[in-house]
Coordinates of all heavy atoms in Angstrom, one line a residue:
M1 N 0.8 -1.2 0.0 CA 0.0 0.0 0.1 C 0.9 1.2 0.0 O 2.0 1.2 0.6 CB -0.9 0.0 1.2 CG -2.0 -1.0 1.2 SD -3.0 -0.8 2.8 CE -3.4 -2.5 2.9
D2 N 0.4 2.3 -0.6 CA 1.1 3.6 -0.7 C 0.5 4.5 0.4 O -0.3 5.3 0.0 CB 1.0 4.0 -2.1 CG 1.8 5.3 -2.4 OD1 2.8 5.5 -1.5 OD2 1.4 6.2 -3.2
L3 N 1.0 4.4 1.5 CA 0.6 5.3 2.6 C 1.5 6.3 2.9 O 2.7 6.3 2.8 CB 0.3 4.4 3.9 CG -0.5 3.3 3.9 CD1 -0.4 2.5 5.2 CD2 -1.9 3.7 3.8
D4 N 0.9 7.6 3.2 CA 1.8 8.8 3.7 C 1.8 8.9 5.1 O 0.9 9.4 5.8 CB 1.1 10.0 3.1 CG 2.0 11.3 3.3 OD1 2.8 11.2 4.2 OD2 1.7 12.3 2.6
L5 N 2.8 8.2 5.7 CA 2.9 8.1 7.1 C 3.0 9.4 7.9 O 2.6 9.6 9.0 CB 3.9 7.1 7.6 CG 3.8 5.7 7.1 CD1 5.0 4.8 7.6 CD2 2.5 5.0 7.6
K6 N 3.7 10.4 7.0 CA 3.9 11.7 7.8 C 2.5 12.4 7.8 O 2.1 13.0 8.8 CB 4.8 12.5 6.8 CG 5.4 13.6 7.5 CD 6.5 14.2 6.5 CE 7.2 15.4 7.1 NZ 8.3 15.9 6.2
L7 N 1.6 12.2 6.8 CA 0.2 12.8 6.7 C -0.5 12.1 7.8 O -1.4 12.7 8.6 CB -0.4 12.6 5.4 CG -1.8 13.0 5.3 CD1 -2.2 14.4 5.7 CD2 -2.4 12.5 3.9
I8 N -0.5 10.8 7.8 CA -1.3 10.0 9.0 C -0.9 10.5 10.3 O -1.8 10.8 11.1 CB -1.1 8.5 8.8 CG1 -1.7 8.1 7.4 CG2 -1.7 7.8 10.0 CD1 -1.4 6.7 7.1
G9 N 0.4 10.7 10.6 CA 0.8 11.1 11.9 C 0.4 12.6 12.3 O -0.1 12.8 13.3
R10 N 0.5 13.5 11.3 CA 0.1 14.8 11.5 C -1.5 14.9 11.5 O -2.0 15.7 12.4 CB 0.6 15.6 10.3 CG 2.0 16.0 10.4 CD 2.6 16.8 9.2 NE 4.0 17.1 9.5 CZ 4.8 17.7 8.6 NH1 4.3 17.9 7.4 NH2 6.0 17.9 8.8
G11 N -2.1 14.1 10.9 CA -3.7 14.2 10.9 C -4.1 13.6 12.2 O -4.9 14.2 12.9
A12 N -3.4 12.6 12.8 CA -3.8 12.1 14.1 C -3.4 13.1 15.2 O -4.2 13.2 16.1 CB -3.0 10.8 14.4
L13 N -2.3 13.8 15.1 CA -1.9 14.8 16.0 C -2.9 16.0 16.1 O -3.1 16.5 17.1 CB -0.5 15.3 15.7 CG 0.0 16.3 16.6 CD1 0.4 15.9 18.0 CD2 1.4 17.0 16.0
F14 N -3.3 16.5 14.9 CA -4.1 17.7 14.9 C -5.5 17.5 14.8 O -6.3 18.5 14.9 CB -3.7 18.5 13.6 CG -2.3 19.2 13.8 CD1 -1.2 18.7 12.9 CD2 -2.1 20.2 14.6 CE1 0.0 19.4 13.0 CE2 -0.8 20.8 14.6 CZ 0.2 20.3 13.9
H15 N -6.0 16.2 14.6 CA -7.5 16.1 14.4 C -8.4 16.7 15.3 O -9.7 17.1 14.9 CB -7.8 14.5 14.1 CG -8.1 13.8 15.3 ND1 -7.1 13.3 16.0 CD2 -9.2 13.6 15.9 CE1 -7.6 12.7 17.1 NE2 -8.9 12.9 17.1
D16 N -8.1 16.8 16.6 CA -9.1 17.4 17.6 C -8.6 18.7 18.1 O -9.0 19.2 19.2 CB -9.1 16.4 18.8 CG -10.3 15.5 18.7 OD1 -11.3 15.8 18.0 OD2 -10.3 14.5 19.3
L17 N -7.9 19.5 17.3 CA -7.3 20.8 17.7 C -8.5 21.8 18.1 O -8.3 22.5 19.1 CB -6.6 21.4 16.6 CG -5.8 22.7 16.8 CD1 -4.7 22.5 17.9 CD2 -5.2 23.2 15.6
G18 N -9.6 21.6 17.5 CA -10.8 22.4 17.7 C -11.4 22.3 19.1 O -12.0 23.2 19.6
K19 N -11.0 21.2 19.8 CA -11.6 20.9 21.2 C -10.8 21.9 22.1 O -11.3 21.9 23.3 CB -11.3 19.4 21.5 CG -12.3 18.5 20.9 CD -12.2 17.2 21.5 CE -13.4 16.3 21.1 NZ -13.1 14.9 21.5
A20 N -9.9 22.6 21.7 CA -9.4 23.7 22.5 C -10.4 24.8 22.8 O -10.3 25.5 23.7 CB -8.0 24.3 21.9
K21 N -11.4 24.8 21.7 CA -12.4 25.8 21.8 C -13.8 25.2 22.2 O -14.5 25.9 22.9 CB -12.6 26.5 20.5 CG -11.3 27.4 20.1 CD -11.6 28.2 19.0 CE -10.3 29.0 18.6 NZ -10.5 30.0 17.5
T22 N -14.0 24.0 21.8 CA -15.3 23.4 22.1 C -15.3 21.9 21.9 O -14.5 21.4 21.1 CB -16.5 24.0 21.2 OG1 -17.7 23.4 21.7 CG2 -16.3 23.6 19.7
H23 N -16.0 21.3 22.7 CA -16.2 19.8 22.5 C -17.4 19.4 21.7 O -17.8 18.3 21.7 CB -16.1 19.1 23.9 CG -14.8 19.0 24.5 ND1 -14.1 17.8 24.8 CD2 -13.8 19.9 24.7 CE1 -12.9 18.0 25.2 NE2 -12.7 19.4 25.2
E24 N -18.2 20.5 21.4 CA -19.4 20.1 20.6 C -19.2 19.6 19.2 O -18.0 19.6 18.8 CB -20.3 21.5 20.5 CG -20.7 22.0 21.9 CD -21.5 21.2 22.8 OE1 -22.4 20.4 22.1 OE2 -21.4 21.1 23.9
I25 N -20.2 19.2 18.5 CA -19.9 18.5 17.3 C -19.3 19.5 16.2 O -18.6 19.0 15.4 CB -21.3 18.0 16.7 CG1 -21.1 16.9 15.6 CG2 -22.2 19.1 16.3 CD1 -21.9 15.7 15.6
E26 N -19.5 20.7 16.4 CA -18.9 21.6 15.4 C -17.3 21.8 15.7 O -16.7 22.5 14.9 CB -19.5 23.0 15.5 CG -19.4 23.8 16.6 CD -20.5 23.6 17.6 OE1 -21.2 22.5 17.6 OE2 -20.6 24.4 18.5
H27 N -16.8 21.0 16.5 CA -15.4 21.1 16.8 C -14.5 20.8 15.5 O -13.4 21.1 15.3 CB -14.8 20.4 18.0 CG -14.7 18.9 17.9 ND1 -15.7 18.0 18.2 CD2 -13.7 18.1 17.5 CE1 -15.3 16.9 18.0 NE2 -14.1 16.9 17.6
G28 N -15.1 19.8 14.7 CA -14.5 19.4 13.3 C -14.3 20.6 12.4 O -13.2 20.8 11.8
K29 N -15.4 21.4 12.3 CA -15.3 22.7 11.5 C -14.3 23.6 12.1 O -13.5 24.2 11.3 CB -16.8 23.3 11.5 CG -16.8 24.6 10.9 CD -18.3 25.0 10.8 CE -18.5 26.4 10.9 NZ -18.2 27.2 11.8
I30 N -14.2 23.8 13.3 CA -13.3 24.7 14.1 C -11.9 24.1 13.9 O -11.0 24.8 13.7 CB -13.7 24.8 15.5 CG1 -15.1 25.6 15.5 CG2 -12.6 25.7 16.4 CD1 -15.7 25.7 16.9
D31 N -11.7 22.7 14.1 CA -10.5 22.1 13.8 C -9.9 22.7 12.5 O -8.7 23.0 12.4 CB -10.7 20.6 13.6 CG -10.9 19.8 14.9 OD1 -10.6 20.4 16.0 OD2 -11.4 18.8 14.7
A32 N -10.7 22.5 11.5 CA -10.3 22.9 10.0 C -9.9 24.3 10.0 O -8.9 24.7 9.3 CB -11.3 22.4 9.0
E33 N -10.8 25.2 10.5 CA -10.5 26.6 10.5 C -9.2 26.9 11.2 O -8.4 27.8 10.7 CB -11.6 27.4 11.2 CG -12.9 27.4 10.4 CD -14.2 27.9 11.1 OE1 -14.0 28.2 12.4 OE2 -15.2 27.8 10.6
M34 N -9.0 26.3 12.3 CA -7.7 26.6 13.1 C -6.5 26.0 12.3 O -5.5 26.7 12.2 CB -7.7 25.9 14.4 CG -8.8 26.6 15.3 SD -9.0 25.6 17.0 CE -7.4 26.1 17.8
G35 N -6.7 24.9 11.7 CA -5.5 24.3 10.8 C -5.2 25.1 9.7 O -4.1 25.4 9.4
K36 N -6.3 25.7 9.0 CA -6.0 26.6 7.8 C -5.3 27.8 8.3 O -4.4 28.3 7.6 CB -7.3 27.0 7.2 CG -7.9 25.8 6.3 CD -9.3 26.1 5.7 CE -9.8 24.7 5.3 NZ -11.3 24.8 4.9
A37 N -5.6 28.4 9.5 CA -5.1 29.5 10.0 C -3.6 29.3 10.4 O -2.7 30.2 10.3 CB -5.8 30.1 11.3
L38 N -3.3 28.1 10.7 CA -1.9 27.7 11.0 C -1.1 27.3 9.8 O 0.1 27.2 9.8 CB -1.8 26.4 11.9 CG -2.3 26.7 13.4 CD1 -2.5 25.4 14.1 CD2 -1.3 27.6 14.1
G39 N -1.8 27.3 8.7 CA -1.2 27.0 7.4 C -0.9 25.6 7.0 O 0.0 25.2 6.2
L40 N -1.7 24.7 7.8 CA -1.6 23.2 7.5 C -2.2 23.0 6.1 O -3.1 23.7 5.7 CB -2.3 22.5 8.5 CG -1.9 22.7 10.0 CD1 -2.8 21.8 10.9 CD2 -0.4 22.1 10.1
P41 N -1.5 22.0 5.4 CA -2.1 21.6 4.1 C -3.4 21.1 4.1 O -3.9 20.5 5.1 CB -1.0 20.6 3.6 CG -0.2 20.2 4.8 CD -0.4 21.2 5.8
E42 N -4.0 21.2 3.0 CA -5.5 20.8 2.8 C -5.7 19.3 3.2 O -6.7 18.9 3.7 CB -6.0 21.1 1.3 CG -7.5 21.0 1.1 CD -8.0 19.7 1.1 OE1 -7.3 18.7 0.5 OE2 -9.2 19.4 1.4
E43 N -4.8 18.4 2.9 CA -4.9 17.0 3.2 C -5.0 16.9 4.7 O -5.8 16.0 5.2 CB -3.7 16.2 2.8 CG -3.5 16.2 1.3 CD -2.6 17.4 0.9 OE1 -2.2 18.2 1.6 OE2 -2.3 17.5 -0.4
I44 N -4.5 17.7 5.6 CA -4.6 17.6 7.1 C -5.8 18.3 7.5 O -6.6 17.7 8.3 CB -3.4 18.2 7.7 CG1 -2.1 17.3 7.4 CG2 -3.4 18.2 9.3 CD1 -0.8 17.9 8.0
T45 N -6.1 19.4 6.9 CA -7.4 20.2 7.4 C -8.7 19.3 6.9 O -9.6 19.3 7.6 CB -7.4 21.5 6.9 OG1 -7.5 21.6 5.5 CG2 -6.3 22.4 7.4
A46 N -8.5 18.6 6.0 CA -9.6 17.6 5.5 C -9.8 16.6 6.5 O -11.0 16.3 6.9 CB -9.4 16.9 4.1
I47 N -8.8 16.0 7.0 CA -8.9 15.0 8.1 C -9.6 15.6 9.3 O -10.6 15.1 9.9 CB -7.6 14.4 8.5 CG1 -7.0 13.6 7.4 CG2 -7.6 13.6 9.9 CD1 -5.5 13.1 7.5
M48 N -9.1 16.8 9.6 CA -9.6 17.5 10.8 C -11.1 17.8 10.7 O -11.9 17.6 11.6 CB -8.8 18.8 11.0 CG -7.4 18.7 11.4 SD -6.4 20.1 11.1 CE -6.5 21.0 12.6
E49 N -11.5 18.2 9.5 CA -13.0 18.5 9.3 C -13.8 17.4 9.1 O -14.9 17.4 9.6 CB -13.0 19.3 8.1 CG -14.4 20.0 7.8 CD -14.4 21.0 6.7 OE1 -13.8 20.8 5.6 OE2 -15.1 22.0 6.8
K50 N -13.3 16.2 8.6 CA -14.2 15.0 8.3 C -14.3 14.1 9.5 O -14.9 13.1 9.3 CB -13.6 14.4 7.1 CG -13.7 15.1 5.8 CD -13.0 14.3 4.7 CE -13.2 14.7 3.3 NZ -12.6 13.9 2.4
H51 N -13.4 14.3 10.5 CA -13.3 13.1 11.4 C -14.6 12.8 12.4 O -14.7 12.0 13.0 CB -12.1 13.2 12.3 CG -12.2 14.1 13.5 ND1 -12.1 15.5 13.5 CD2 -12.6 13.9 14.8 CE1 -12.4 16.1 14.7 NE2 -12.7 15.0 15.5
I52 N -15.5 13.9 12.3 CA -16.8 13.8 13.1 C -17.6 12.5 12.7 O -18.0 12.4 11.5 CB -17.6 15.0 12.9 CG1 -16.8 16.3 13.2 CG2 -18.9 14.9 13.7 CD1 -16.4 16.3 14.7
R53 N -17.8 11.6 13.6 CA -18.6 10.4 13.3 C -18.2 9.5 12.2 O -18.9 8.9 11.5 CB -20.1 10.7 13.3 CG -20.6 11.4 14.5 CD -22.1 11.4 14.6 NE -22.5 12.0 15.8 CZ -23.8 12.3 16.1 NH1 -24.7 12.1 15.3 NH2 -24.1 12.9 17.3
G54 N -16.8 9.7 11.9 CA -16.3 8.8 10.9 C -16.6 9.2 9.4 O -16.6 8.4 8.6
G55 N -17.0 10.5 9.3 CA -17.3 11.0 8.1 C -18.7 11.1 7.9 O -19.5 10.3 8.4
L56 N -19.3 12.1 7.2 CA -20.6 12.3 7.1 C -21.1 12.5 5.6 O -20.3 13.2 4.8 CB -21.1 13.7 7.8 CG -20.7 13.7 9.4 CD1 -20.9 15.0 9.9 CD2 -21.6 12.6 10.1
T57 N -22.4 12.2 5.4 CA -22.9 12.6 4.0 C -23.4 14.0 4.1 O -23.5 14.5 5.3 CB -24.1 11.6 3.7 OG1 -25.1 11.8 4.6 CG2 -23.6 10.2 3.5
E58 N -23.9 14.6 3.0 CA -24.4 15.9 3.2 C -25.7 15.9 4.0 O -25.9 16.9 4.7 CB -24.8 16.4 1.6 CG -23.5 16.8 0.9 CD -23.8 17.4 -0.4 OE1 -25.0 17.8 -0.8 OE2 -22.9 17.5 -1.3
E59 N -26.5 14.9 3.8 CA -27.8 14.7 4.5 C -27.5 14.6 6.0 O -28.1 15.3 6.9 CB -28.6 13.5 4.0 CG -29.9 13.4 4.7 CD -30.8 14.6 4.6 OE1 -30.7 15.3 3.5 OE2 -31.5 15.0 5.7
E60 N -26.4 13.8 6.4 CA -26.1 13.7 7.8 C -25.5 15.1 8.4 O -26.0 15.4 9.4 CB -25.1 12.6 8.0 CG -25.7 11.2 7.8 CD -24.5 10.1 7.7 OE1 -23.4 10.5 7.2 OE2 -24.8 9.0 8.0
A61 N -24.8 15.8 7.5 CA -24.3 17.1 8.0 C -25.5 18.0 8.3 O -25.5 18.9 9.2 CB -23.4 17.7 7.0
R62 N -26.4 17.9 7.4 CA -27.7 18.8 7.5 C -28.4 18.6 8.7 O -28.8 19.5 9.6 CB -28.6 18.7 6.2 CG -29.8 19.6 6.2 CD -30.6 19.4 5.1 NE -30.0 19.8 3.8 CZ -29.5 18.9 2.8 NH1 -29.7 17.7 3.0 NH2 -28.8 19.5 1.8
E63 N -28.5 17.2 9.1 CA -29.3 16.8 10.3 C -28.6 17.2 11.6 O -29.2 17.5 12.5 CB -29.5 15.3 10.2 CG -30.5 14.8 9.2 CD -30.3 13.3 9.1 OE1 -29.7 12.6 9.9 OE2 -31.0 12.7 8.2
L64 N -27.3 17.3 11.5 CA -26.5 17.7 12.7 C -26.2 19.2 12.8 O -25.5 19.7 13.7 CB -25.2 17.0 12.7 CG -25.1 15.5 12.7 CD1 -23.9 14.8 12.5 CD2 -25.7 15.1 14.2
G65 N -26.8 20.0 11.8 CA -26.7 21.5 11.8 C -25.3 22.0 11.4 O -24.9 23.0 11.7
L66 N -24.4 21.1 10.7 CA -23.1 21.5 10.1 C -23.4 22.1 8.8 O -24.3 21.8 8.1 CB -22.2 20.2 10.2 CG -21.9 19.6 11.5 CD1 -21.1 18.3 11.3 CD2 -21.1 20.6 12.4
P67 N -22.3 22.7 8.3 CA -22.3 23.2 7.0 C -22.5 22.1 6.1 O -21.8 21.0 6.3 CB -20.9 23.8 6.9 CG -20.5 24.3 8.1 CD -21.1 23.3 9.1
V68 N -23.5 22.2 5.1 CA -23.8 21.1 4.2 C -22.8 20.8 3.2 O -22.5 21.7 2.3 CB -25.2 21.2 3.6 CG1 -25.6 20.2 2.7 CG2 -26.3 21.4 4.7
K69 N -22.1 19.7 3.2 CA -21.0 19.4 2.3 C -20.8 17.9 2.5 O -21.2 17.3 3.4 CB -19.8 20.3 2.5 CG -19.2 20.1 3.8 CD -18.1 21.2 4.1 CE -16.9 21.0 3.4 NZ -15.8 22.0 3.8
D70 N -19.9 17.4 1.6 CA -19.6 16.0 1.7 C -18.4 15.8 2.5 O -17.3 16.3 2.3 CB -19.3 15.5 0.2 CG -18.9 14.1 0.2 OD1 -19.0 13.4 1.2 OD2 -18.5 13.6 -0.8
Y71 N -18.6 15.1 3.7 CA -17.6 14.8 4.7 C -17.1 13.4 4.5 O -16.4 12.9 5.5 CB -18.0 15.1 6.1 CG -18.5 16.6 6.4 CD1 -19.6 17.0 6.0 CD2 -17.5 17.4 7.1 CE1 -20.0 18.4 6.4 CE2 -17.8 18.7 7.4 CZ -19.0 19.2 7.0 OH -19.5 20.5 7.4
T72 N -17.6 12.7 3.5 CA -17.1 11.3 3.4 C -15.8 11.1 3.2 O -15.1 12.0 2.6 CB -18.1 10.5 2.3 OG1 -17.7 11.1 1.0 CG2 -19.5 10.5 2.6
L73 N -15.2 10.0 3.6 CA -13.7 9.7 3.6 C -13.3 9.2 2.2 O -14.0 8.4 1.7 CB -13.4 8.7 4.7 CG -13.9 9.0 6.1 CD1 -13.4 8.0 7.0 CD2 -13.6 10.4 6.5
K74 N -12.4 9.8 1.6 CA -12.0 9.4 0.3 C -10.6 8.7 0.2 O -10.4 7.9 -0.6 CB -11.8 10.8 -0.5 CG -13.0 11.7 -0.5 CD -14.1 11.1 -1.3 CE -15.2 12.1 -1.6 NZ -16.5 11.6 -1.1
T75 N -9.7 9.1 1.0 CA -8.4 8.5 0.9 C -8.1 7.4 2.0 O -8.7 7.5 3.1 CB -7.3 9.5 1.0 OG1 -7.1 10.0 2.3 CG2 -7.5 10.7 0.1
L76 N -7.1 6.5 1.8 CA -6.9 5.4 2.7 C -6.3 6.1 3.9 O -6.5 5.7 5.2 CB -6.0 4.4 2.2 CG -5.6 3.2 3.0 CD1 -6.8 2.6 3.5 CD2 -4.7 2.2 2.3
D77 N -5.5 7.1 3.7 CA -4.8 7.9 4.9 C -5.8 8.5 5.8 O -5.7 8.3 7.0 CB -3.9 9.0 4.2 CG -2.7 8.4 3.4 OD1 -2.0 7.4 3.8 OD2 -2.7 9.0 2.3
E78 N -6.9 9.1 5.3 CA -7.9 9.8 6.1 C -8.6 8.7 6.9 O -9.0 8.8 8.0 CB -8.7 10.8 5.4 CG -9.5 10.5 4.4 CD -10.0 11.7 3.6 OE1 -9.6 12.7 3.7 OE2 -11.0 11.3 2.8
K79 N -8.9 7.6 6.2 CA -9.6 6.5 6.8 C -8.8 6.0 7.9 O -9.5 5.6 9.0 CB -9.9 5.4 5.8 CG -11.0 5.8 4.8 CD -11.3 4.8 3.7 CE -12.2 5.2 2.7 NZ -12.4 4.3 1.6
I80 N -7.6 5.7 7.8 CA -6.7 5.2 8.9 C -6.8 6.1 10.2 O -7.1 5.6 11.4 CB -5.3 5.0 8.4 CG1 -5.2 3.8 7.5 CG2 -4.4 4.7 9.6 CD1 -3.9 3.6 6.8
V81 N -6.7 7.4 10.0 CA -6.7 8.3 11.1 C -8.2 8.2 11.8 O -8.2 8.1 12.9 CB -6.4 9.6 10.6 CG1 -6.5 10.7 11.9 CG2 -4.9 9.8 10.2
I82 N -9.2 8.4 10.9 CA -10.5 8.6 11.4 C -11.0 7.4 12.0 O -11.7 7.4 13.0 CB -11.4 9.3 10.4 CG1 -10.8 10.7 10.1 CG2 -12.8 9.2 10.7 CD1 -11.3 11.3 8.8
Y83 N -10.8 6.2 11.4 CA -11.3 4.9 12.0 C -10.6 4.6 13.3 O -11.2 4.1 14.3 CB -11.1 3.8 11.0 CG -12.0 3.8 9.8 CD1 -11.9 3.0 8.8 CD2 -13.1 4.7 9.8 CE1 -12.7 3.0 7.6 CE2 -14.0 4.7 8.6 CZ -13.7 4.0 7.5 OH -14.6 3.9 6.5
A84 N -9.3 4.9 13.4 CA -8.5 4.7 14.5 C -9.2 5.7 15.7 O -9.1 5.2 16.9 CB -7.1 5.0 14.4
D85 N -9.5 6.9 15.3 CA -10.1 7.9 16.3 C -11.4 7.2 16.9 O -11.7 7.3 18.0 CB -10.3 9.2 15.7 CG -11.0 10.2 16.6 OD1 -10.4 10.3 17.7 OD2 -11.8 10.8 16.2
Ligands
FE2_1 FE1 -13.0 14.9 17.5

């Protein structure tokens, strides 16, 4: 398998950064905002944003009151971090 171990490690390290501000469900969105402000690459901020409940469909995001978008997991790297979480 072609895994990016550096990305997996960084995603695991930063995935709950938003919990510094809240432990509510929107912490994934806040994670990504904080990661972007720190200049983290999109591959990491995607992990941060998508890790809520193992990835969400647009409909699930709507039901949870999150910004409506596709939070489903696309890469093996993000699946490893998020399933481990
Ligand atoms: Fe979390």
Side-chain angles (χ1 to χ4, degrees):
M1 289 185 212
D2 186 24
L3 297 174
D4 184 341
L5 297 180
K6 200 171 187 178
L7 170 62
I8 291 168
R10 288 179 173 171
L13 179 66
F14 287 113
H15 83 278
D16 264 339
L17 188 63
K19 282 191 173 175
K21 293 188 176 180
T22 181
H23 282 237
E24 299 299 325
I25 195 141
E26 66 269 19
H27 78 267
K29 175 177 143 312
I30 294 168
D31 288 336
E33 290 169 358
M34 292 173 74
K36 288 173 188 167
L38 290 171
L40 296 177
E42 195 278 334
E43 296 87 358
I44 296 175
T45 60
I47 289 172
M48 297 163 84
E49 187 169 42
K50 292 176 171 184
H51 85 278
I52 303 298
R53 297 198 181 169
L56 302 168
T57 63
E58 289 185 12
E59 183 56 35
E60 290 167 330
R62 184 177 294 108
E63 290 171 7
L64 292 169
L66 295 171
V68 178
K69 58 195 283 187
D70 180 8
Y71 297 82
T72 59
L73 310 182
K74 305 289 191 237
T75 70
L76 184 55
D77 301 310
E78 62 190 18
K79 288 176 183 173
I80 288 171
V81 175
I82 292 166
Y83 291 168
D85 180 46

